[in-house]
Amino acid sequence: MEPERKRSGSTLKKGRKRRLIPSKVVGAAEATRSHWDLEEKQQPIAKKARLSTVLFAENCEVTHGQLCELLKYAVLGKSSFPKPSWCQLFHQNHLKNVVVFILQGLSQLHFYKFYLEFGFLRKAFKHKFRMPPPSSDFLADIIGLQKKQIIGNLPKAMEGFLDCENFVPTKCNGSVTDNSPLFGLDCEMCLTSKGRELTRISLVAEGGGCVMDELVKPDNKIVDYLTSFSGITKKILNPVTTKLKDVQRRLKILLPPDAVLVGHSLDLDLRALKMIHPYVIDTSLLYVREQGRRFKLKFLAKAILGKDIQCPDRLGHDATEDARTTLELARYFLKYGPKKIAELNLEALFSYQESQEPRNTAEGVQRLNTSVLECLDSVGQKLLFLTQEADASALSSSKNCQTIKCLSNKEVLEQARVEIPLFPFSIVQFSFEPFSPNLTQEMNKRIKIKWTEMSTVYAGPFNKNCNLSALKRLFKSFGPVQLMTLVLETHQPHLCIQYEVLEAAQLAIESLDGVLVEGSCIKVQRPVTELTLDCDTLVNELEQDSENRGTIYLSGVSETFKEHLLQHCSIFLGLEAMILPKDLKSGKQKGYCFLRFKTFGSAQRALNILTGKDWKLRGRHALTPRHLHAWLRGLARESRLPGVRVIPPPSEQEAWQMLNVDHPKIAAWHWGRKIEKLYHNLCPGTLCLILLPGTKSTHGSLSGLGLMGIKDEEESTIPQTCVCESAHHLPGVIS
């Protein structure tokens, strides 16, 4: 049923700007890495470093380890490291510097609670992502520093690991003695849409016999087999039916109650297995280097045992050989003790060996546990760390780190202006007092209510004999509906429609407000409460958010829409990603999608075509960044009766009266402006990250938020007329 347009009164508004993310995104980006490699080759001669616009992470959450991947790649590039698993950095060798700003004490909740105050940050950084709550040492995690631990209780060591509660214990609870059996363990991993997953496990008994050597089929889609390390290829893994749960079950049967597992960087192997074991020996920590750094297994095998492993003429590592080698190294240490190891002077031997080899070979620094500090050290550079005296971490004591401790945020800022230009890699940490648990809980509740109310519209009045079924179809045509109720408290009936996505509500307002429907001129508006009073301003600012540029929202798409679109890709220039949400329960595709384009102009042209007479879809520019939509999906929808007031708790009222400059709302505006000035002083080509780490306490955890960009990357020489990308080059078809 098409609405009749009224001749006078308000005119029908057209769809406006920018980008959204689906509410039920299922699946992961397809064909990304091949597209990225092709795109990098196709760049013009005048190159500038730039970041990809399509993030890999399915739920837009980037782990601290993945963040470390990017930072290491930014320092040394693809000649020494694989490309980051979740984003793409083009022309890394054209990067000038790396600067990381950390706003300690702030989280994703703070950013969207004070969204209007963070004006510069939301407009300047088009790449945003969610982070898990921080561990006890957030800085060590993103830099890749390893904790000094040799033999210990692994559950304690893994307290900060994401989703550790889903790990399976080995059920080994016997008492360890000098006669307890040792088992060498080594795992190989691949890269999937959810991160690194197990593809092979080898378990070797103390006598050297192989107890278990299994290939494992990951649960999620593989995006990189990491063949150069694992030796695993698609052909090898295709016929495999063994799953992770099968390996876990078998290990629990094989291992005796007092078994001691031995491995090199054993924490990575146990994480891949998603298992917890109480008794471990980690050879990378038995033979620990200075500053907590670690020797490679290949080096220790040659230096201690006189054997060559991981030979370059072989495809990948032999997991059984590596497991057996760790056992031999552990037995050597237990037999001769640390004094003998010290006499070997491994550090000097390693330095000599490094000097005899090319600096940036892939084998040189490509181990997963290499830190950013080691990367900088390998090219003769130091890291600058600016922080307050009270917030110094393990990073402060690192040899290759120039730490400047300050008395206040203001002093950190002043030092940053002077020192940042002198270092290739800088970390600047500001610290803010976190909210009290009660206030945090209240803020969380109000964010939920506000988003629900912004996604809700009231429409009417309608005639009492109106066609209710036709009205429901009309309002559902703008997007997925969570709840639709008939309001009979008024003289004439009204409808209350709660949409699943903000774009649908905005599209309904823009399309039907002041329009004749069923013979009545209806008004379509949001509920007016104290939480929606600034809604028009917030919607406008969401449209201006740099991440939303170039993304359009479409409603009314069919199951064949993807194929139809790709068949006509020649008229949709610059299409980068297609996001097709599915219902988590039924698995069926929902009737809406999001298309991401390289430029706002390409998005606008596509929107005009797709909402025209040939395609007949409804749409507008997107409003909600993908990471925000993923976060909001995790918040239970809350509503309240119209007119119910949300009263700020006394603690917040007092904070406003004090107008303390370190109160997060004031700090958001104040320090956003300060960082803006620092950012403008950075040289072009600087990779800049703004990290709000989140919070973790006994009262609950808050997710973090990351923003990143390369200064002046928008000026990089991207062709004005983009060549059409065919279907198999489309980097992000997410269904």
Side-chain angles (χ1 to χ4, degrees):
M1 177 182 63
E2 288 296 323
E4 305 168 50
R5 304 199 181 274
K6 185 164 169 67
R7 294 149 311 273
S8 61
S10 60
T11 57
L12 182 64
K13 303 172 190 172
K14 295 296 181 186
R16 292 208 173 173
K17 301 185 173 64
R18 290 153 194 151
R19 173 192 187 193
L20 179 153
I21 295 350
S23 70
K24 303 284 183 188
V25 178
V26 178
E30 297 176 358
T32 48
R33 193 165 294 281
S34 62
H35 168 82
W36 283 339
D37 291 338
L38 180 64
E39 187 174 350
E40 188 157 7
K41 293 174 186 175
Q42 291 176 342
Q43 295 306 304
I45 297 173
K47 295 176 180 177
K48 289 186 180 181
R50 68 180 181 89
L51 286 160
S52 67
T53 56
V54 181
L55 297 183
F56 233 127
E58 180 179 332
N59 63 352
C60 302
E61 183 172 273
V62 175
T63 67
H64 305 140
Q66 289 174 320
L67 199 54
C68 185
E69 286 177 11
L70 172 64
L71 295 178
K72 290 189 287 189
Y73 185 78
V75 174
L76 290 182
K78 62 184 177 183
S79 62
S80 299
F81 280 97
K83 295 177 180 180
S85 62
W86 58 282
C87 71
Q88 180 70 330
L89 173 59
F90 294 108
H91 311 306
Q92 171 273 341
N93 57 329
H94 289 268
L95 271 184
K96 302 299 181 184
N97 297 305
V98 179
V99 179
V100 181
F101 294 104
I102 298 175
L103 309 185
Q104 195 68 39
L106 301 186
S107 67
Q108 183 168 231
L109 175 64
H110 294 89
F111 185 81
Y112 284 104
K113 170 67 177 175
F114 309 126
Y115 184 79
L116 297 179
E117 283 73 27
F118 280 114
F120 167 72
L121 298 186
R122 57 186 159 80
K123 292 179 181 177
F125 295 92
K126 67 183 293 186
H127 309 283
K128 303 180 183 73
F129 51 89
R130 186 174 55 168
M131 296 186 294
S135 67
S136 57
D137 198 338
F138 172 75
L139 267 173
D141 291 340
I142 65 169
I143 295 300
L145 292 179
Q146 303 293 331
K147 295 177 178 60
K148 294 183 179 180
Q149 178 188 353
I150 299 178
I151 302 178
N153 190 306
L154 194 63
K156 290 182 180 177
M158 298 179 68
E159 281 175 358
F161 187 64
L162 185 63
D163 293 334
C164 187
E165 65 270 15
N166 296 324
F167 281 30
V168 176
T170 56
K171 299 289 175 71
C172 294
N173 49 13
S175 299
V176 176
T177 67
D178 290 344
N179 296 320
S180 293
L182 305 182
F183 289 87
L185 175 69
D186 187 67
C187 294
E188 300 298 339
M189 282 80 85
C190 69
L191 186 66
T192 73
S193 58
K194 289 289 185 69
R196 286 185 168 84
E197 293 190 45
L198 183 71
T199 51
R200 182 182 177 186
I201 174 176
S202 289
L203 188 71
V204 176
E206 202 163 350
C210 184
V211 179
M212 183 179 183
D213 187 17
E214 287 278 352
L215 293 172
V216 185
K217 179 72 69 72
D219 292 328
N220 298 288
K221 182 176 179 179
I222 298 174
V223 295
D224 192 334
Y225 285 85
L226 301 178
T227 306
S228 61
F229 297 107
S230 67
I232 306 295
T233 63
K234 183 177 181 179
K235 183 178 180 181
I236 291 173
L237 212 56
N238 262 345
V240 175
T241 58
T242 303
K243 306 292 280 188
L244 177 61
K245 62 182 179 181
D246 302 318
V247 172
Q248 292 172 336
R249 193 182 306 114
R250 190 172 170 194
L251 275 177
K252 286 196 285 186
I253 296 172
L254 280 173
L255 294 175
D258 60 340
V260 178
L261 289 180
V262 181
H264 197 79
S265 295
L266 189 60
D267 57 324
L268 300 177
D269 298 315
L270 286 166
R271 290 181 186 191
L273 287 166
K274 292 189 176 180
M275 297 192 78
I276 295 174
H277 187 77
Y279 311 118
V280 298
I281 297 176
D282 192 328
T283 52
S284 72
L285 296 169
L286 282 180
Y287 299 90
V288 69
R289 298 177 62 191
E290 297 173 359
Q291 306 297 323
R293 294 178 294 172
R294 305 187 186 191
F295 290 112
K296 297 188 291 290
L297 181 63
K298 180 178 180 178
F299 167 77
L300 291 175
K302 184 68 174 176
I304 303 293
L305 308 173
K307 60 189 286 189
D308 292 308
I309 64 170
Q310 300 173 3
C311 300
D313 57 339
R314 275 204 313 239
L315 182 63
H317 299 173
D318 184 332
T320 303
E321 180 184 60
D322 288 356
R324 193 173 286 120
T325 301
T326 61
L327 263 181
E328 293 175 26
L329 287 170
R331 289 171 62 83
Y332 186 96
F333 189 96
L334 294 172
K335 181 178 180 179
Y336 294 105
K339 185 177 179 181
K340 173 70 173 178
I341 306 305
E343 291 172 358
L344 295 175
N345 204 352
L346 293 174
E347 193 71 48
L349 181 61
F350 181 78
S351 299
Y352 173 77
Q353 189 181 96
E354 286 282 283
S355 68
Q356 302 303 306
E357 296 177 357
R359 268 232 184 247
N360 286 330
T361 61
E363 216 27 64
V365 285
Q366 211 169 19
R367 290 294 294 179
L368 297 177
N369 57 10
T370 305
S371 72
V372 172
L373 287 172
E374 288 177 287
C375 295
L376 289 166
D377 188 44
S378 70
V379 290
Q381 296 175 339
K382 273 194 171 186
L383 181 148
L384 169 67
F385 179 39
L386 288 167
T387 185
Q388 289 193 43
E389 186 82 37
D391 296 317
S393 73
L395 181 61
S396 308
S397 57
S398 300
K399 182 180 70 172
N400 199 38
C401 176
Q402 178 67 50
T403 302
I404 300 177
K405 299 178 182 179
C406 305
L407 298 177
S408 65
N409 282 339
K410 184 177 179 181
E411 189 180 342
V412 171
L413 180 71
E414 291 169 351
Q415 289 286 345
R417 290 194 186 107
V418 177
E419 300 291 340
I420 284 178
L422 306 178
F423 288 82
F425 196 114
S426 305
I427 296 177
V428 182
Q429 180 169 271
F430 300 104
S431 298
F432 305 101
E433 192 66 31
F435 281 155
S436 68
N438 288 340
L439 185 53
T440 299
Q441 187 177 7
E442 185 67 25
M443 275 177 53
N444 229 338
K445 183 178 180 181
R446 276 184 273 170
I447 284 284
K448 295 176 189 177
I449 294 174
K450 180 166 186 165
W451 210 261
T452 300
E453 291 180 346
M454 286 179 62
S455 302
T456 300
V457 299
Y458 284 89
F462 298 104
N463 293 326
K464 292 182 179 178
N465 59 350
C466 63
N467 186 335
L468 189 58
S469 297
L471 287 176
K472 287 183 177 180
R473 285 196 301 273
L474 172 62
F475 282 96
K476 285 182 178 180
S477 70
F478 298 107
V481 172
Q482 290 270 21
L483 183 67
M484 188 182 300
T485 56
L486 188 63
V487 180
L488 299 175
E489 297 295 323
T490 51
H491 175 63
Q492 290 179 276
H494 285 67
L495 279 177
C496 175
I497 307 102
Q498 187 183 115
Y499 285 102
E500 191 175 295
V501 294
L502 177 61
E503 283 77 359
Q506 188 66 22
L507 190 56
I509 293 171
E510 293 169 346
S511 302
L512 295 181
D513 188 33
V515 171
L516 282 172
V517 176
E518 290 271 315
S520 298
C521 177
I522 66 168
K523 186 167 184 62
V524 183
Q525 61 185 338
R526 290 185 174 89
V528 179
T529 71
E530 73 280 2
L531 292 181
T532 60
L533 287 174
D534 64 351
C535 189
D536 289 343
T537 302
L538 184 54
V539 167
N540 183 60
E541 291 302 320
L542 284 167
E543 289 179 335
Q544 303 301 322
D545 192 301
S546 60
E547 190 175 357
N548 291 331
R549 283 194 74 85
T551 302
I552 61 175
Y553 162 80
L554 296 170
S555 180
V557 301
S558 65
E559 298 236 342
T560 59
F561 173 75
K562 181 171 82 172
E563 290 72 20
H564 193 198
L565 183 78
L566 296 178
Q567 286 171 6
H568 295 81
C569 65
S570 59
I571 61 175
F572 298 110
L573 301 180
L575 178 61
E576 287 190 319
M578 184 189 308
I579 302 165
L580 295 163
K582 288 183 179 179
D583 185 272
L584 290 180
K585 291 182 179 178
S586 66
K588 291 183 179 179
Q589 183 179 309
K590 295 190 174 184
Y592 69 101
C593 76
F594 305 92
L595 302 181
R596 179 70 184 257
F597 293 85
K598 282 186 177 179
T599 65
F600 176 74
S602 297
Q604 182 63 60
R605 286 190 292 273
L607 184 61
N608 292 339
I609 294 170
L610 292 165
T611 56
K613 61 180 181 179
D614 293 329
W615 292 73
K616 298 179 181 178
L617 299 175
R618 296 190 187 273
R620 74 175 323 278
H621 287 275
L623 291 172
T624 320
R626 185 177 170 198
H627 71 274
L628 173 59
H629 217 276
W631 177 52
L632 290 169
R633 283 204 315 274
L635 300 178
R637 292 262 174 172
E638 293 208 12
S639 58
R640 54 176 175 164
L641 293 173
V644 175
R645 297 186 62 224
V646 177
I647 302 172
S651 56
E652 189 176 14
Q653 289 177 334
E654 292 166 7
W656 295 146
Q657 291 167 6
M658 291 168 59
L659 289 177
N660 186 334
V661 75
D662 278 335
H663 187 283
K665 177 159 185 162
I666 306 302
W669 179 84
H670 181 77
W671 288 101
R673 295 290 300 275
K674 298 295 184 186
I675 291 174
E676 178 180 4
K677 291 180 180 178
L678 280 177
Y679 180 81
H680 289 315
N681 287 333
L682 300 177
C683 66
T686 297
L687 172 62
C688 183
L689 288 92
I690 313 290
L691 303 180
L692 288 66
T695 59
K696 191 168 189 178
S697 70
T698 54
H699 302 284
S701 302
L702 294 177
S703 298
L705 180 72
L707 304 90
M708 66 179 183
I710 298 173
K711 189 179 178 188
D712 294 343
E713 72 172 312
E714 292 306 317
E715 298 173 15
S716 59
T717 50
I718 301 172
Q720 293 299 311
T721 304
C722 302
V723 178
C724 172
E725 295 156 338
S726 61
H728 63 281
H729 290 156
L730 189 65
V733 179
I734 304 176
S735 56

